[in-house]
Amino acid sequence: MCNQCVIEGVKRTMLSRRRLLGGGAAAAATLGLAGSALAQDAAKPAVDAGKSLADMAISDLTHELHPDFPTFFGEQQFFMEQKFSYEKDKFNLFELRVNEHTGTHVDAPLHFSADGQSVAEIPVEKLMAPLVVIDIKAKAADDADAQVTPDDIKAWTDANGELPENCCVAMNSGWQQHLDSEKFRNADDKGVMHFPGFHVEAAQMLLEGSAVGIAVDTLSLDFGQSPDFAVHYAWLPEGRWGLECIANLDAMPAVGTTLILGAPKHRGGSGGPSRVLALS
């Protein structure tokens, strides 16, 4: 197919979309609110169900993905190749090549199990959850190998009450401040990384409840020097998901917001880069 044919096709498609959006905006907004209300009811979110979207604060908990984003293995995992440019072709189009576990991304149960749910199979009602933020910044500042422990969870419940049903429990270690430096991976001269994560006993404690996910602001659910991925193996095979490299947790309260996980939906996938939002 010639480039000019592609260009003309794109123009016709964009014109049709504009007409559709112009004529159906009110209906789309109504449907969107109705769908949101149904999803919120299913997930028992923390936001006030009586609020309209216009009254809610929407926060982005996603890092911008780019070729130099730090990775667990230390190698580039995101690639962009421009196939069409506006200057030449009158539209822009990039082809992407990406490792599933790059940037702000979800770990599906399949990631660390033989037959767990793929990322496409995670039930949609589990992708919207009350967000719980456990702050361990103070001890992470003193110890790069700090972990979320059962004592941290107990301290949170002592201060805030029981964990919400079907929640996502997030670790705020303050590690985001190191994102643009080598300290985000924090590898020593033997190649061993040092950054915070969950302790396996904390994961096991959460498995006794209904939490659907755990999240970290670092490269792994397990702390950096973990020799065995104990948290991954304990958590994911139980049908729960993990979220790594979550962003902007400092802007989130300990409780009271609802996380929306925009997980990708590719068949058989073990995870993938995700757009993560919070409603309050």
Side-chain angles (χ1 to χ4, degrees), residues 34-263:
S36 175
L38 288 171
Q40 289 177 26
D41 183 64
K44 298 182 181 179
V47 295
D48 183 351
K51 285 185 178 181
S52 70
L53 285 178
D55 296 326
M56 294 179 188
I58 304 177
S59 303
D60 194 347
L61 306 186
T62 318
H63 287 298
E64 184 178 44
L65 188 54
H66 56 85
D68 295 324
F69 197 94
T71 67
F72 185 87
F73 297 107
E75 300 175 350
Q76 182 179 347
Q77 294 181 178
F78 178 71
F79 304 82
M80 295 177 63
E81 181 181 353
Q82 187 158 17
K83 295 293 187 178
F84 296 91
S85 69
Y86 192 85
E87 180 181 11
K88 178 182 176 183
D89 307 301
K90 298 307 177 186
F91 68 97
N92 291 304
L93 186 151
F94 292 84
E95 184 174 284
L96 306 181
R97 178 163 64 90
V98 59
N99 180 302
E100 290 176 313
H101 300 274
T102 307
T104 301
H105 68 275
V106 61
D107 285 1
L110 183 61
H111 186 34
F112 270 73
S113 60
D115 56 0
Q117 293 169 335
S118 73
V119 69
E121 294 170 331
I122 298 174
V124 66
E125 61 269 19
K126 290 188 177 182
L127 299 180
M128 191 169 183
L131 178 63
V132 166
V133 180
I134 296 181
D135 190 326
I136 65 163
K137 288 185 293 186
K139 69 176 183 179
D142 294 334
D143 179 11
D145 297 315
Q147 299 176 76
V148 175
T149 66
D151 286 344
D152 294 312
I153 297 173
K154 185 177 185 303
W156 189 97
T157 57
D158 287 346
N160 300 284
E162 293 301 313
L163 294 172
E165 290 292 315
N166 305 309
C167 64
C168 170
V169 179
M171 172 193 78
N172 182 9
S173 69
W175 216 249
Q176 177 174 336
Q177 66 180 310
H178 305 306
L179 184 65
D180 295 323
S181 72
E182 292 184 359
K183 190 169 181 180
F184 197 69
R185 293 187 75 248
N186 204 26
D188 60 26
D189 55 7
K190 295 182 180 179
V192 177
M193 292 179 289
H194 299 272
F195 53 73
F198 274 82
H199 193 285
V200 66
E201 291 179 359
Q204 291 165 341
M205 180 179 182
L206 292 174
L207 284 172
E208 296 174 2
S210 66
V212 296
I214 56 176
V216 295
D217 54 354
T218 58
L219 285 166
S220 176
L221 304 178
D222 288 273
F223 74 139
Q225 66 168 323
S226 169
D228 54 10
F229 295 106
V231 173
H232 281 80
Y233 279 114
W235 185 256
L236 297 177
E238 295 300 320
R240 319 294 177 103
W241 49 258
L243 184 59
E244 295 170 338
C245 293
I246 192 172
N248 302 325
L249 288 178
D250 273 347
M252 296 294 100
V255 66
T257 60
T258 295
L259 179 141
I260 300 175
L261 174 57

